[in-house]
Amino acid sequence: LHSFPTRRSSDLREKLVHAEKIAAWQDIAQRLAHEIRNPLTPIKLSAQRILKKFKTDPAEMEKILESSVNAIVDEVDNLDKLLKEFREFSKLPNPHPLIFNVKELIEESAGMFRNITDSVLIETNSISDKILVKADPAQIKQVFNNLFRNAIQSINGKGRIVVAADLVKKEGEQYCRIQVKDNGSGIDDEYKDKIFDP
C-alpha cells in the first residue's frame, strides 16, 4: 500500500469533485433540453394550424384561432416557468449561517403542510426543543419543505410523517442528526441511485 502526501490527495479530491460537477451539469443540460423540446411540438402544430386555415379557408379562421393561440400561450408559459426554475436552481445562493432552534424551524415547515392537508399527520414529538444548530435557516427550511411535499405525494392519502432529531458525536465534533420517515410508497429502485442528483 502506498500513501500520497496530503497535498496530492487534496488535488485528487478536487479534480474528482470538479469532474462530478461537470457530469451533473451535463445531465441537467440534457434534461432541460428534453423538457424544452416537449412544448415545442404543440406550439409548432398550433402555429401551422393557424397558417393552414388562413391560406385555405380564412373565413373559418375564427373557429380555430382562439384554441390555437391559447395552446401556444399555455406552452410558452410552461417554458417560462421551467426556465425560471432552472435559473433559480443555477444561482445556488451562498449560505448565511445563523444559530436557530431546530424544532421551531421544523414546526414552521410542518405547520404549513398541516394547513394544506389533514389526511397526513406530521409528528415532531421526538425533537427536543433545546437543540440549536448553526446553518442557513432558509435553506434548511427548504429541505424540509421538499421532504414533506415528497412524503405527502408518496403517501397519496392518509398517513404519517415522523420527524426525529438527536445529537451525535463524530471525530470530536457534535452534530444534529435529523430523520424523516413516512409510510408512503417509497422510492422506486430505478431512482435510488439518483436521489442526490440536482
Side-chain angles (χ1 to χ4, degrees):
L1 293 176
H2 299 280
S3 60
F4 295 102
T6 304
R7 180 60 195 161
R8 185 169 179 187
S9 298
S10 176
D11 288 344
L12 289 172
R13 280 196 300 271
E14 286 178 10
K15 288 179 180 178
L16 180 61
V17 169
H18 181 66
E20 288 174 344
K21 285 182 178 178
I22 290 173
W25 278 109
Q26 287 173 338
D27 185 50
I28 291 166
Q30 288 175 355
R31 293 184 196 186
L32 184 65
H34 174 74
E35 293 297 329
I36 287 175
R37 191 180 296 119
N38 288 338
L40 293 181
T41 299
I43 289 173
K44 183 178 180 179
L45 290 175
S46 296
Q48 288 174 335
R49 187 181 179 205
I50 293 171
L51 186 60
K52 182 179 178 182
K53 185 63 74 173
F54 175 73
K55 288 183 176 179
T56 60
D57 193 2
E60 295 291 310
M61 275 281 291
E62 189 176 345
K63 289 183 179 179
I64 60 100
L65 187 61
E66 185 175 357
S67 62
S68 297
V69 170
N70 283 339
I72 292 172
V73 171
D74 288 344
E75 294 301 337
V76 169
D77 285 344
N78 288 336
L79 278 171
D80 186 52
K81 181 182 177 185
L82 176 69
L83 292 173
K84 281 179 180 175
E85 289 175 354
F86 180 74
R87 187 168 61 244
E88 287 172 7
F89 166 75
S90 65
K91 288 178 183 175
L92 291 176
N94 293 324
H96 299 287
L98 298 171
I99 295 174
F100 62 88
N101 184 291
V102 169
K103 184 161 188 175
E104 288 178 3
L105 182 136
I106 293 174
E107 277 294 330
E108 279 183 37
S109 180
M112 180 175 70
F113 287 93
R114 286 177 183 137
N115 290 332
I116 293 173
T117 177
D118 55 5
S119 61
V120 177
L121 182 66
I122 303 178
E123 298 179 8
T124 58
N125 300 332
S126 299
I127 306 173
S128 167
D129 57 5
K130 295 181 172 60
I131 298 178
L132 303 177
V133 298
K134 186 174 185 180
D136 186 317
Q139 291 186 359
I140 298 298
K141 189 174 180 181
Q142 185 63 50
V143 169
F144 285 105
N145 288 349
N146 291 341
L147 287 173
F148 291 152
R149 185 179 296 108
N150 288 347
I152 289 169
Q153 290 172 349
S154 174
I155 291 168
N156 193 25
K158 286 190 175 295
R160 296 168 66 222
I161 301 170
V162 180
V163 189
D166 61 350
L167 297 175
V168 295
K169 280 193 174 181
K170 186 178 179 182
E171 298 177 357
E173 296 287 340
Q174 193 172 47
Y175 298 90
C176 175
R177 175 174 56 191
I178 302 173
Q179 301 175 69
V180 180
K181 300 179 182 180
D182 65 69
N183 63 334
S185 59
I187 300 170
D188 292 341
D189 288 339
E190 61 181 303
Y191 298 121
K192 284 184 178 177
D193 63 339
K194 297 180 174 64
I195 59 172
F196 292 109
D197 288 357

mmCIF file of all heavy atoms in Angstrom, residues 33-79:
data_model
loop_
_atom_site.group_PDB
_atom_site.id
_atom_site.type_symbol
_atom_site.label_atom_id
_atom_site.label_comp_id
_atom_site.label_asym_id
_atom_site.label_seq_id
_atom_site.Cartn_x
_atom_site.Cartn_y
_atom_site.Cartn_z
ATOM 1 N N ALA A 33 -32.954 20.257 -21.956
ATOM 2 C CA ALA A 33 -33.209 20.223 -23.401
ATOM 3 C C ALA A 33 -34.420 19.340 -23.704
ATOM 4 O O ALA A 33 -35.255 19.673 -24.551
ATOM 5 C CB ALA A 33 -31.971 19.697 -24.135
ATOM 6 N N HIS A 34 -34.523 18.219 -22.998
ATOM 7 C CA HIS A 34 -35.664 17.321 -23.193
ATOM 8 C C HIS A 34 -36.967 17.999 -22.787
ATOM 9 O O HIS A 34 -37.977 17.920 -23.494
ATOM 10 C CB HIS A 34 -35.453 16.048 -22.367
ATOM 11 C CG HIS A 34 -36.623 15.121 -22.386
ATOM 12 N ND1 HIS A 34 -36.947 14.349 -23.483
ATOM 13 C CD2 HIS A 34 -37.571 14.856 -21.451
ATOM 14 C CE1 HIS A 34 -38.027 13.643 -23.214
ATOM 15 N NE2 HIS A 34 -38.424 13.925 -21.992
ATOM 16 N N GLU A 35 -36.950 18.698 -21.637
ATOM 17 C CA GLU A 35 -38.161 19.361 -21.151
ATOM 18 C C GLU A 35 -38.579 20.518 -22.055
ATOM 19 O O GLU A 35 -39.760 20.799 -22.213
ATOM 20 C CB GLU A 35 -37.947 19.876 -19.721
ATOM 21 C CG GLU A 35 -37.779 18.784 -18.682
ATOM 22 C CD GLU A 35 -39.021 17.916 -18.540
ATOM 23 O OE1 GLU A 35 -40.139 18.425 -18.747
ATOM 24 O OE2 GLU A 35 -38.875 16.718 -18.236
ATOM 25 N N ILE A 36 -37.600 21.203 -22.642
ATOM 26 C CA ILE A 36 -37.911 22.318 -23.543
ATOM 27 C C ILE A 36 -38.498 21.787 -24.853
ATOM 28 O O ILE A 36 -39.394 22.396 -25.435
ATOM 29 C CB ILE A 36 -36.641 23.167 -23.813
ATOM 30 C CG1 ILE A 36 -36.291 23.985 -22.558
ATOM 31 C CG2 ILE A 36 -36.844 24.094 -25.008
ATOM 32 C CD1 ILE A 36 -35.000 24.757 -22.677
ATOM 33 N N ARG A 37 -37.992 20.632 -25.299
ATOM 34 C CA ARG A 37 -38.452 20.074 -26.571
ATOM 35 C C ARG A 37 -39.933 19.704 -26.518
ATOM 36 O O ARG A 37 -40.661 19.858 -27.506
ATOM 37 C CB ARG A 37 -37.618 18.848 -26.931
ATOM 38 C CG ARG A 37 -37.857 18.355 -28.356
ATOM 39 C CD ARG A 37 -37.016 17.136 -28.670
ATOM 40 N NE ARG A 37 -35.599 17.438 -28.637
ATOM 41 C CZ ARG A 37 -34.732 16.864 -27.807
ATOM 42 N NH1 ARG A 37 -35.152 15.978 -26.941
ATOM 43 N NH2 ARG A 37 -33.460 17.174 -27.841
ATOM 44 N N ASN A 38 -40.416 19.243 -25.366
ATOM 45 C CA ASN A 38 -41.810 18.791 -25.246
ATOM 46 C C ASN A 38 -42.840 19.852 -25.651
ATOM 47 O O ASN A 38 -43.746 19.557 -26.429
ATOM 48 C CB ASN A 38 -42.087 18.301 -23.819
ATOM 49 C CG ASN A 38 -41.409 16.968 -23.536
ATOM 50 O OD1 ASN A 38 -41.089 16.225 -24.445
ATOM 51 N ND2 ASN A 38 -41.186 16.687 -22.272
ATOM 52 N N PRO A 39 -42.765 21.104 -25.138
ATOM 53 C CA PRO A 39 -43.776 22.101 -25.519
ATOM 54 C C PRO A 39 -43.631 22.617 -26.955
ATOM 55 O O PRO A 39 -44.565 23.221 -27.477
ATOM 56 C CB PRO A 39 -43.552 23.252 -24.522
ATOM 57 C CG PRO A 39 -42.655 22.718 -23.469
ATOM 58 C CD PRO A 39 -41.866 21.632 -24.110
ATOM 59 N N LEU A 40 -42.473 22.411 -27.566
ATOM 60 C CA LEU A 40 -42.265 22.967 -28.912
ATOM 61 C C LEU A 40 -43.188 22.332 -29.946
ATOM 62 O O LEU A 40 -43.618 23.000 -30.893
ATOM 63 C CB LEU A 40 -40.797 22.800 -29.329
ATOM 64 C CG LEU A 40 -39.785 23.625 -28.532
ATOM 65 C CD1 LEU A 40 -38.379 23.383 -29.063
ATOM 66 C CD2 LEU A 40 -40.122 25.117 -28.580
ATOM 67 N N THR A 41 -43.497 21.058 -29.774
ATOM 68 C CA THR A 41 -44.364 20.373 -30.750
ATOM 69 C C THR A 41 -45.765 20.974 -30.790
ATOM 70 O O THR A 41 -46.247 21.352 -31.870
ATOM 71 C CB THR A 41 -44.426 18.865 -30.457
ATOM 72 O OG1 THR A 41 -43.107 18.331 -30.563
ATOM 73 C CG2 THR A 41 -45.343 18.162 -31.444
ATOM 74 N N PRO A 42 -46.477 21.119 -29.644
ATOM 75 C CA PRO A 42 -47.799 21.747 -29.715
ATOM 76 C C PRO A 42 -47.754 23.202 -30.175
ATOM 77 O O PRO A 42 -48.686 23.673 -30.839
ATOM 78 C CB PRO A 42 -48.332 21.635 -28.279
ATOM 79 C CG PRO A 42 -47.175 21.311 -27.423
ATOM 80 C CD PRO A 42 -46.201 20.599 -28.276
ATOM 81 N N ILE A 43 -46.686 23.917 -29.862
ATOM 82 C CA ILE A 43 -46.561 25.303 -30.334
ATOM 83 C C ILE A 43 -46.475 25.314 -31.867
ATOM 84 O O ILE A 43 -47.168 26.074 -32.542
ATOM 85 C CB ILE A 43 -45.317 25.988 -29.714
ATOM 86 C CG1 ILE A 43 -45.540 26.255 -28.222
ATOM 87 C CG2 ILE A 43 -44.991 27.301 -30.446
ATOM 88 C CD1 ILE A 43 -44.317 26.775 -27.498
ATOM 89 N N LYS A 44 -45.615 24.452 -32.406
ATOM 90 C CA LYS A 44 -45.439 24.384 -33.856
ATOM 91 C C LYS A 44 -46.726 23.949 -34.553
ATOM 92 O O LYS A 44 -47.146 24.545 -35.557
ATOM 93 C CB LYS A 44 -44.304 23.418 -34.185
ATOM 94 C CG LYS A 44 -43.990 23.334 -35.683
ATOM 95 C CD LYS A 44 -42.813 22.390 -35.931
ATOM 96 C CE LYS A 44 -42.505 22.318 -37.424
ATOM 97 N NZ LYS A 44 -41.351 21.410 -37.672
ATOM 98 N N LEU A 45 -47.382 22.918 -34.012
ATOM 99 C CA LEU A 45 -48.618 22.412 -34.620
ATOM 100 C C LEU A 45 -49.727 23.466 -34.606
ATOM 101 O O LEU A 45 -50.478 23.615 -35.570
ATOM 102 C CB LEU A 45 -49.081 21.150 -33.895
ATOM 103 C CG LEU A 45 -48.221 19.897 -34.106
ATOM 104 C CD1 LEU A 45 -48.723 18.760 -33.228
ATOM 105 C CD2 LEU A 45 -48.217 19.487 -35.574
ATOM 106 N N SER A 46 -49.823 24.216 -33.494
ATOM 107 C CA SER A 46 -50.847 25.259 -33.393
ATOM 108 C C SER A 46 -50.586 26.374 -34.402
ATOM 109 O O SER A 46 -51.513 26.870 -35.047
ATOM 110 C CB SER A 46 -50.880 25.831 -31.967
ATOM 111 O OG SER A 46 -51.266 24.843 -31.037
ATOM 112 N N ALA A 47 -49.314 26.762 -34.526
ATOM 113 C CA ALA A 47 -48.967 27.808 -35.496
ATOM 114 C C ALA A 47 -49.242 27.329 -36.923
ATOM 115 O O ALA A 47 -49.775 28.088 -37.759
ATOM 116 C CB ALA A 47 -47.499 28.192 -35.331
ATOM 117 N N GLN A 48 -48.886 26.088 -37.220
ATOM 118 C CA GLN A 48 -49.138 25.536 -38.557
ATOM 119 C C GLN A 48 -50.635 25.454 -38.850
ATOM 120 O O GLN A 48 -51.077 25.689 -39.982
ATOM 121 C CB GLN A 48 -48.504 24.134 -38.668
ATOM 122 C CG GLN A 48 -46.994 24.165 -38.748
ATOM 123 C CD GLN A 48 -46.392 22.767 -38.719
ATOM 124 O OE1 GLN A 48 -46.993 21.821 -38.202
ATOM 125 N NE2 GLN A 48 -45.194 22.631 -39.278
ATOM 126 N N ARG A 49 -51.415 25.126 -37.819
ATOM 127 C CA ARG A 49 -52.873 25.036 -37.988
ATOM 128 C C ARG A 49 -53.460 26.391 -38.359
ATOM 129 O O ARG A 49 -54.304 26.513 -39.257
ATOM 130 C CB ARG A 49 -53.470 24.532 -36.671
ATOM 131 C CG ARG A 49 -54.958 24.225 -36.736
ATOM 132 C CD ARG A 49 -55.424 23.764 -35.379
ATOM 133 N NE ARG A 49 -56.857 23.467 -35.360
ATOM 134 C CZ ARG A 49 -57.587 23.506 -34.272
ATOM 135 N NH1 ARG A 49 -57.043 23.826 -33.110
ATOM 136 N NH2 ARG A 49 -58.872 23.229 -34.319
ATOM 137 N N ILE A 50 -52.990 27.442 -37.672
ATOM 138 C CA ILE A 50 -53.458 28.799 -37.970
ATOM 139 C C ILE A 50 -53.083 29.190 -39.397
ATOM 140 O O ILE A 50 -53.902 29.720 -40.155
ATOM 141 C CB ILE A 50 -52.872 29.810 -36.955
ATOM 142 C CG1 ILE A 50 -53.434 29.552 -35.552
ATOM 143 C CG2 ILE A 50 -53.169 31.248 -37.386
ATOM 144 C CD1 ILE A 50 -52.743 30.359 -34.465
ATOM 145 N N LEU A 51 -51.824 28.924 -39.752
ATOM 146 C CA LEU A 51 -51.337 29.305 -41.083
ATOM 147 C C LEU A 51 -52.104 28.564 -42.185
ATOM 148 O O LEU A 51 -52.489 29.166 -43.195
ATOM 149 C CB LEU A 51 -49.838 29.008 -41.183
ATOM 150 C CG LEU A 51 -49.140 29.472 -42.457
ATOM 151 C CD1 LEU A 51 -49.250 30.988 -42.619
ATOM 152 C CD2 LEU A 51 -47.673 29.051 -42.446
ATOM 153 N N LYS A 52 -52.336 27.281 -41.975
ATOM 154 C CA LYS A 52 -53.054 26.485 -42.978
ATOM 155 C C LYS A 52 -54.476 26.993 -43.174
ATOM 156 O O LYS A 52 -54.957 27.136 -44.299
ATOM 157 C CB LYS A 52 -53.070 25.019 -42.553
ATOM 158 C CG LYS A 52 -53.753 24.100 -43.563
ATOM 159 C CD LYS A 52 -53.723 22.658 -43.088
ATOM 160 C CE LYS A 52 -54.443 21.755 -44.074
ATOM 161 N NZ LYS A 52 -54.470 20.345 -43.617
ATOM 162 N N LYS A 53 -55.147 27.274 -42.048
ATOM 163 C CA LYS A 53 -56.529 27.769 -42.130
ATOM 164 C C LYS A 53 -56.563 29.134 -42.811
ATOM 165 O O LYS A 53 -57.466 29.430 -43.601
ATOM 166 C CB LYS A 53 -57.121 27.847 -40.731
ATOM 167 C CG LYS A 53 -58.597 28.230 -40.700
ATOM 168 C CD LYS A 53 -59.490 27.198 -41.381
ATOM 169 C CE LYS A 53 -59.662 25.960 -40.553
ATOM 170 N NZ LYS A 53 -60.672 25.021 -41.152
ATOM 171 N N PHE A 54 -55.578 29.969 -42.528
ATOM 172 C CA PHE A 54 -55.506 31.303 -43.131
ATOM 173 C C PHE A 54 -55.358 31.206 -44.641
ATOM 174 O O PHE A 54 -55.957 31.982 -45.398
ATOM 175 C CB PHE A 54 -54.341 32.085 -42.528
ATOM 176 C CG PHE A 54 -54.111 33.425 -43.160
ATOM 177 C CD1 PHE A 54 -54.978 34.477 -42.925
ATOM 178 C CD2 PHE A 54 -53.021 33.624 -44.012
ATOM 179 C CE1 PHE A 54 -54.761 35.721 -43.517
ATOM 180 C CE2 PHE A 54 -52.812 34.858 -44.606
ATOM 181 C CZ PHE A 54 -53.677 35.906 -44.351
ATOM 182 N N LYS A 55 -54.558 30.220 -45.103
ATOM 183 C CA LYS A 55 -54.296 30.083 -46.534
ATOM 184 C C LYS A 55 -55.442 29.392 -47.275
ATOM 185 O O LYS A 55 -55.736 29.721 -48.423
ATOM 186 C CB LYS A 55 -52.998 29.308 -46.765
ATOM 187 C CG LYS A 55 -51.749 30.097 -46.423
ATOM 188 C CD LYS A 55 -50.502 29.284 -46.738
ATOM 189 C CE LYS A 55 -49.239 30.104 -46.498
ATOM 190 N NZ LYS A 55 -48.012 29.313 -46.775
ATOM 191 N N THR A 56 -56.078 28.414 -46.618
ATOM 192 C CA THR A 56 -57.077 27.598 -47.319
ATOM 193 C C THR A 56 -58.512 28.043 -47.089
ATOM 194 O O THR A 56 -59.362 27.904 -47.961
ATOM 195 C CB THR A 56 -56.952 26.123 -46.903
ATOM 196 O OG1 THR A 56 -57.159 26.017 -45.481
ATOM 197 C CG2 THR A 56 -55.574 25.574 -47.267
ATOM 198 N N ASP A 57 -58.795 28.559 -45.890
ATOM 199 C CA ASP A 57 -60.188 28.911 -45.580
ATOM 200 C C ASP A 57 -60.219 30.044 -44.558
ATOM 201 O O ASP A 57 -60.618 29.857 -43.412
ATOM 202 C CB ASP A 57 -60.915 27.677 -45.035
ATOM 203 C CG ASP A 57 -62.422 27.873 -44.988
ATOM 204 O OD1 ASP A 57 -62.892 28.944 -45.408
ATOM 205 O OD2 ASP A 57 -63.121 26.958 -44.514
ATOM 206 N N PRO A 58 -59.796 31.260 -44.955
ATOM 207 C CA PRO A 58 -59.696 32.375 -43.997
ATOM 208 C C PRO A 58 -61.027 32.727 -43.345
ATOM 209 O O PRO A 58 -61.044 33.248 -42.222
ATOM 210 C CB PRO A 58 -59.177 33.533 -44.860
ATOM 211 C CG PRO A 58 -59.406 33.127 -46.277
ATOM 212 C CD PRO A 58 -59.368 31.640 -46.309
ATOM 213 N N ALA A 59 -62.119 32.416 -43.996
ATOM 214 C CA ALA A 59 -63.431 32.727 -43.410
ATOM 215 C C ALA A 59 -63.692 31.902 -42.146
ATOM 216 O O ALA A 59 -64.472 32.304 -41.277
ATOM 217 C CB ALA A 59 -64.533 32.487 -44.432
ATOM 218 N N GLU A 60 -63.028 30.727 -42.053
ATOM 219 C CA GLU A 60 -63.226 29.836 -40.909
ATOM 220 C C GLU A 60 -62.154 30.033 -39.822
ATOM 221 O O GLU A 60 -62.084 29.260 -38.855
ATOM 222 C CB GLU A 60 -63.201 28.377 -41.383
ATOM 223 C CG GLU A 60 -64.349 28.014 -42.308
ATOM 224 C CD GLU A 60 -65.669 28.002 -41.572
ATOM 225 O OE1 GLU A 60 -65.752 27.375 -40.511
ATOM 226 O OE2 GLU A 60 -66.629 28.643 -42.067
ATOM 227 N N MET A 61 -61.324 31.060 -39.969
ATOM 228 C CA MET A 61 -60.219 31.309 -39.033
ATOM 229 C C MET A 61 -60.697 31.412 -37.583
ATOM 230 O O MET A 61 -60.050 30.921 -36.663
ATOM 231 C CB MET A 61 -59.488 32.606 -39.411
ATOM 232 C CG MET A 61 -58.420 32.422 -40.458
ATOM 233 S SD MET A 61 -56.891 31.740 -39.789
ATOM 234 C CE MET A 61 -56.326 33.103 -38.789
ATOM 235 N N GLU A 62 -61.832 32.056 -37.407
ATOM 236 C CA GLU A 62 -62.317 32.335 -36.047
ATOM 237 C C GLU A 62 -62.533 31.053 -35.241
ATOM 238 O O GLU A 62 -62.343 31.036 -34.032
ATOM 239 C CB GLU A 62 -63.615 33.136 -36.111
ATOM 240 C CG GLU A 62 -64.071 33.656 -34.752
ATOM 241 C CD GLU A 62 -65.305 34.532 -34.865
ATOM 242 O OE1 GLU A 62 -65.633 34.961 -35.990
ATOM 243 O OE2 GLU A 62 -65.925 34.771 -33.827
ATOM 244 N N LYS A 63 -62.895 29.964 -35.929
ATOM 245 C CA LYS A 63 -63.207 28.712 -35.246
ATOM 246 C C LYS A 63 -61.986 28.092 -34.566
ATOM 247 O O LYS A 63 -62.099 27.453 -33.523
ATOM 248 C CB LYS A 63 -63.802 27.701 -36.234
ATOM 249 C CG LYS A 63 -65.205 28.052 -36.689
ATOM 250 C CD LYS A 63 -65.750 26.970 -37.602
ATOM 251 C CE LYS A 63 -67.181 27.300 -38.046
ATOM 252 N NZ LYS A 63 -67.716 26.264 -38.959
ATOM 253 N N ILE A 64 -60.811 28.255 -35.158
ATOM 254 C CA ILE A 64 -59.624 27.602 -34.608
ATOM 255 C C ILE A 64 -58.633 28.586 -33.979
ATOM 256 O O ILE A 64 -57.701 28.178 -33.296
ATOM 257 C CB ILE A 64 -58.907 26.776 -35.698
ATOM 258 C CG1 ILE A 64 -58.455 27.658 -36.876
ATOM 259 C CG2 ILE A 64 -59.794 25.666 -36.186
ATOM 260 C CD1 ILE A 64 -57.013 28.020 -36.847
ATOM 261 N N LEU A 65 -58.861 29.885 -34.216
ATOM 262 C CA LEU A 65 -57.878 30.878 -33.780
ATOM 263 C C LEU A 65 -57.711 30.898 -32.263
ATOM 264 O O LEU A 65 -56.595 30.815 -31.739
ATOM 265 C CB LEU A 65 -58.274 32.267 -34.283
ATOM 266 C CG LEU A 65 -57.239 33.375 -34.033
ATOM 267 C CD1 LEU A 65 -55.933 33.050 -34.739
ATOM 268 C CD2 LEU A 65 -57.770 34.727 -34.491
ATOM 269 N N GLU A 66 -58.834 30.981 -31.525
ATOM 270 C CA GLU A 66 -58.739 31.118 -30.066
ATOM 271 C C GLU A 66 -58.078 29.893 -29.423
ATOM 272 O O GLU A 66 -57.173 30.026 -28.597
ATOM 273 C CB GLU A 66 -60.125 31.339 -29.455
ATOM 274 C CG GLU A 66 -60.055 31.598 -27.956
ATOM 275 C CD GLU A 66 -61.421 31.948 -27.360
ATOM 276 O OE1 GLU A 66 -62.407 32.039 -28.117
ATOM 277 O OE2 GLU A 66 -61.486 32.131 -26.136
ATOM 278 N N SER A 67 -58.519 28.692 -29.815
ATOM 279 C CA SER A 67 -57.954 27.480 -29.201
ATOM 280 C C SER A 67 -56.476 27.320 -29.539
ATOM 281 O O SER A 67 -55.670 26.927 -28.688
ATOM 282 C CB SER A 67 -58.736 26.249 -29.650
ATOM 283 O OG SER A 67 -58.648 26.091 -31.051
ATOM 284 N N SER A 68 -56.105 27.653 -30.763
ATOM 285 C CA SER A 68 -54.708 27.505 -31.182
ATOM 286 C C SER A 68 -53.809 28.513 -30.468
ATOM 287 O O SER A 68 -52.725 28.170 -29.986
ATOM 288 C CB SER A 68 -54.582 27.684 -32.696
ATOM 289 O OG SER A 68 -55.293 26.685 -33.380
ATOM 290 N N VAL A 69 -54.272 29.760 -30.392
ATOM 291 C CA VAL A 69 -53.482 30.793 -29.710
ATOM 292 C C VAL A 69 -53.373 30.480 -28.217
ATOM 293 O O VAL A 69 -52.303 30.638 -27.606
ATOM 294 C CB VAL A 69 -54.090 32.195 -29.940
ATOM 295 C CG1 VAL A 69 -53.403 33.221 -29.040
ATOM 296 C CG2 VAL A 69 -53.939 32.596 -31.407
ATOM 297 N N ASN A 70 -54.469 30.015 -27.602
ATOM 298 C CA ASN A 70 -54.423 29.649 -26.185
ATOM 299 C C ASN A 70 -53.418 28.522 -25.937
ATOM 300 O O ASN A 70 -52.703 28.527 -24.918
ATOM 301 C CB ASN A 70 -55.806 29.222 -25.694
ATOM 302 C CG ASN A 70 -56.733 30.394 -25.462
ATOM 303 O OD1 ASN A 70 -56.283 31.528 -25.292
ATOM 304 N ND2 ASN A 70 -58.032 30.138 -25.449
ATOM 305 N N ALA A 71 -53.375 27.556 -26.862
ATOM 306 C CA ALA A 71 -52.416 26.457 -26.734
ATOM 307 C C ALA A 71 -50.985 26.981 -26.786
ATOM 308 O O ALA A 71 -50.122 26.563 -26.007
ATOM 309 C CB ALA A 71 -52.650 25.423 -27.828
ATOM 310 N N ILE A 72 -50.736 27.905 -27.693
ATOM 311 C CA ILE A 72 -49.398 28.496 -27.810
ATOM 312 C C ILE A 72 -49.038 29.258 -26.541
ATOM 313 O O ILE A 72 -47.940 29.097 -25.982
ATOM 314 C CB ILE A 72 -49.324 29.428 -29.038
ATOM 315 C CG1 ILE A 72 -49.416 28.610 -30.325
ATOM 316 C CG2 ILE A 72 -48.032 30.247 -29.028
ATOM 317 C CD1 ILE A 72 -49.540 29.434 -31.596
ATOM 318 N N VAL A 73 -49.972 30.078 -26.051
ATOM 319 C CA VAL A 73 -49.720 30.874 -24.841
ATOM 320 C C VAL A 73 -49.452 29.963 -23.638
ATOM 321 O O VAL A 73 -48.526 30.194 -22.849
ATOM 322 C CB VAL A 73 -50.901 31.823 -24.548
ATOM 323 C CG1 VAL A 73 -50.746 32.478 -23.172
ATOM 324 C CG2 VAL A 73 -50.993 32.894 -25.631
ATOM 325 N N ASP A 74 -50.255 28.901 -23.493
ATOM 326 C CA ASP A 74 -50.074 27.964 -22.380
ATOM 327 C C ASP A 74 -48.698 27.305 -22.411
ATOM 328 O O ASP A 74 -48.024 27.192 -21.377
ATOM 329 C CB ASP A 74 -51.162 26.881 -22.408
ATOM 330 C CG ASP A 74 -52.526 27.401 -22.001
ATOM 331 O OD1 ASP A 74 -52.583 28.506 -21.414
ATOM 332 O OD2 ASP A 74 -53.527 26.720 -22.269
ATOM 333 N N GLU A 75 -48.281 26.874 -23.585
ATOM 334 C CA GLU A 75 -46.989 26.191 -23.691
ATOM 335 C C GLU A 75 -45.827 27.163 -23.470
ATOM 336 O O GLU A 75 -44.805 26.798 -22.884
ATOM 337 C CB GLU A 75 -46.847 25.499 -25.054
ATOM 338 C CG GLU A 75 -47.827 24.355 -25.267
ATOM 339 C CD GLU A 75 -47.693 23.259 -24.223
ATOM 340 O OE1 GLU A 75 -46.617 23.128 -23.610
ATOM 341 O OE2 GLU A 75 -48.675 22.525 -24.000
ATOM 342 N N VAL A 76 -45.975 28.398 -23.927
ATOM 343 C CA VAL A 76 -44.938 29.408 -23.676
ATOM 344 C C VAL A 76 -44.850 29.698 -22.176
ATOM 345 O O VAL A 76 -43.750 29.850 -21.625
ATOM 346 C CB VAL A 76 -45.214 30.697 -24.481
ATOM 347 C CG1 VAL A 76 -44.293 31.825 -24.020
ATOM 348 C CG2 VAL A 76 -45.025 30.448 -25.976
ATOM 349 N N ASP A 77 -45.991 29.760 -21.493
ATOM 350 C CA ASP A 77 -45.998 29.950 -20.038
ATOM 351 C C ASP A 77 -45.281 28.795 -19.340
ATOM 352 O O ASP A 77 -44.528 29.008 -18.373
ATOM 353 C CB ASP A 77 -47.432 30.061 -19.516
ATOM 354 C CG ASP A 77 -48.076 31.405 -19.826
ATOM 355 O OD1 ASP A 77 -47.320 32.350 -20.161
ATOM 356 O OD2 ASP A 77 -49.320 31.503 -19.745
ATOM 357 N N ASN A 78 -45.516 27.574 -19.823
ATOM 358 C CA ASN A 78 -44.847 26.410 -19.238
ATOM 359 C C ASN A 78 -43.333 26.493 -19.431
ATOM 360 O O ASN A 78 -42.554 26.173 -18.520
ATOM 361 C CB ASN A 78 -45.369 25.115 -19.876
ATOM 362 C CG ASN A 78 -46.784 24.786 -19.439
ATOM 363 O OD1 ASN A 78 -47.228 25.224 -18.384
ATOM 364 N ND2 ASN A 78 -47.494 24.028 -20.254
ATOM 365 N N LEU A 79 -42.912 26.913 -20.614
ATOM 366 C CA LEU A 79 -41.479 27.090 -20.878
ATOM 367 C C LEU A 79 -40.880 28.162 -19.970
ATOM 368 O O LEU A 79 -39.780 27.993 -19.434
ATOM 369 C CB LEU A 79 -41.259 27.479 -22.338
ATOM 370 C CG LEU A 79 -41.254 26.349 -23.366
ATOM 371 C CD1 LEU A 79 -41.254 26.929 -24.779
ATOM 372 C CD2 LEU A 79 -40.049 25.449 -23.165
#
